[in-house]
Amino acid sequence: MFVGDSPRGGNRGIFLGANQGYAHSPGVLTDISCSGSLGALRYKGFTDKSSTQPANKPIAENGTVRVLKGHEINLRAGGPKGRVVGQLKEGDELTYDHKVVTNGHRYVISGSLYLAITPTEKRENWWVDVKTR
């Protein structure tokens, strides 16, 4: 999958490949020649053709989440990989004003607090009940 132009220039590109590099490697960015290529697949989550970072801008969405039975979810400060500053437990609620899909999860954002609520944007494997307004 094409990610962007190679910093080495010429007829080279940065590609995301699977199972390359070493045994059981889930994926790797590799700088290879584009000679002989018929085309390239491009992940829609990348912001532009020169970027190697997925788009993860917060999207405005207002709602409330309530943690479902048997779950405990970390609250992170400042971002999806931020410092854990608390934990919501079964029955706890959080009102939020934005969401973002990044770092392999869907997060809701309340002020500067991030809460991972599901592994994907789809309504499956939810850890919380979500009510949007």
Side-chain angles (χ1 to χ4, degrees):
M1 187 179 317
F2 179 75
V3 174
D5 295 329
S6 170
R8 294 168 57 185
N11 192 21
R12 300 186 68 82
I14 303 295
F15 289 83
L16 175 64
N19 302 317
Q20 295 174 333
Y22 59 91
H24 307 293
S25 163
V28 64
L29 288 175
T30 184
D31 184 331
I32 60 175
S33 171
C34 297
S35 296
S37 297
L38 296 175
L41 298 175
R42 179 161 196 67
Y43 173 57
K44 290 181 181 179
F46 288 112
T47 56
D48 63 57
K49 70 179 185 178
S50 64
S51 174
T52 59
Q53 294 299 315
N56 55 11
K57 294 181 180 177
I59 300 167
E61 178 180 283
N62 293 303
T64 302
V65 294
R66 183 177 47 81
V67 179
L68 295 176
K69 183 176 182 178
H71 291 282
E72 296 177 351
I73 309 171
N74 289 333
L75 276 171
R76 297 185 175 273
K81 293 184 178 184
R83 180 175 53 91
V84 175
V85 295
Q87 193 172 61
L88 294 185
K89 298 182 180 182
E90 179 182 328
D92 288 346
E93 292 188 350
L94 177 76
T95 301
Y96 68 95
D97 52 23
H98 286 81
K99 70 176 181 180
V100 67
V101 179
T102 186
N103 196 32
H105 292 88
R106 176 181 177 203
Y107 291 82
V108 293
I109 306 167
S110 177
S112 65
L113 299 176
Y114 284 64
L115 181 73
I117 64 169
T118 182
T120 67
E121 183 67 10
K122 297 178 182 175
R123 289 192 69 89
E124 54 191 44
N125 301 319
W126 288 72
W127 303 312
V128 297
D129 180 37
V130 179
K131 292 183 176 66
T132 57
R133 292 184 263 173

